[in-house]
Amino acid sequence: MHPSSGGIAVPSLSITSPSTMVTSPSELENMMEGLVASYLDTEFEDIFMKRFNLNLLNSDKANYITRRVSLQILSAVLLTRTNYKVMIKYISNRSNLKTIMMLLRDSSAHITLEAFNVFKIFVANPTKPDEIIRILADNKVKLVKYLTGLHQEKEANDEQFRDEKALVIVTLQQLD
């Protein structure tokens, strides 16, 4: 379409190199996941320590919606297989654990549920660094008491939540 006819001129795109040709949507998705994982790993400090912890998850700086959606995004990122290195970095950091533990105490049930979804990743990590173990062990009595009462109505109706919560509590109780 010619610009003078009121339409939008779009130049054609031609990819001729076989090494850059994408042959399917799933191939494109895999390529993009790898690029995103690499970017998140490279920019970890800026994205997670500065943007997430200091701004998006901070109740003094972010509103309810921002914190809730940020927790949902964080959980999705950490649980995406291609982001394994990012997940390990995140759950190996004491500042991140403290941030999530503070969010577990939020007045909003939705925020506490989303925070639990991130917290369980810290607890389930079989190779927790000593400083993470120490924080969890030092707080285990309070955490177990708190988690026992957390979202009991959801626990009654959601088998997966009930199982995850029970596993987190048992894992915490076994810490020395």
Side-chain angles (χ1 to χ4, degrees), residues 156-170:
N157 301 318
D158 186 334
E159 186 177 341
Q160 180 179 350
F161 177 77
R162 182 175 48 248
D163 293 346
E164 289 172 349
K165 182 175 153 181
L167 180 61
V168 167
I169 290 171
V170 167

Side-chain angles (χ1 to χ4, degrees), residues 43-56:
E43 300 296 324
F44 181 86
E45 286 294 318
D46 185 51
I47 293 170
F48 294 100
M49 305 308 286
K50 294 178 183 170
R51 293 184 188 173
F52 269 87
N53 286 2
L54 295 179
N55 293 311
L56 300 174

Side-chain angles (χ1 to χ4, degrees), residues 22-33:
V22 176
T23 59
S24 71
S26 64
E27 189 177 340
L28 177 62
E29 183 179 345
N30 290 338
M31 184 176 72
M32 293 304 295
E33 282 181 356

Side-chain angles (χ1 to χ4, degrees), residues 1-11:
M1 207 175 243
H2 193 270
S4 64
S5 66
I8 298 173
V10 179

Side-chain angles (χ1 to χ4, degrees), residues 107-160:
S107 60
S108 163
H110 293 290
I111 298 285
T112 60
L113 180 60
E114 298 302 338
F116 175 78
N117 287 331
V118 176
F119 179 73
K120 68 186 179 189
I121 304 169
F122 283 95
V123 176
N125 179 9
T127 58
K128 292 182 243 342
D130 289 341
E131 66 180 351
I132 299 298
I133 293 171
R134 190 170 31 261
I135 292 169
L136 292 172
D138 289 349
N139 293 284
K140 79 175 177 180
V141 172
K142 291 178 188 173
L143 284 167
V144 167
K145 182 179 179 183
Y146 175 78
L147 292 172
T148 300
L150 181 70
H151 295 287
Q152 290 180 329
E153 68 290 344
K154 182 169 180 63
E155 188 176 357
N157 301 318
D158 186 334
E159 186 177 341
Q160 180 179 350

Side-chain angles (χ1 to χ4, degrees), residues 37-42 44 48 77-78 80-92:
S38 176
Y39 177 77
L40 291 174
D41 186 39
T42 303
F44 181 86
F48 294 100
V77 166
L78 297 179
T80 299
R81 178 170 288 165
T82 54
N83 297 328
Y84 179 78
K85 284 175 58 178
V86 170
M87 178 195 68
I88 293 300
K89 273 187 189 180
Y90 191 86
I91 65 173
S92 297

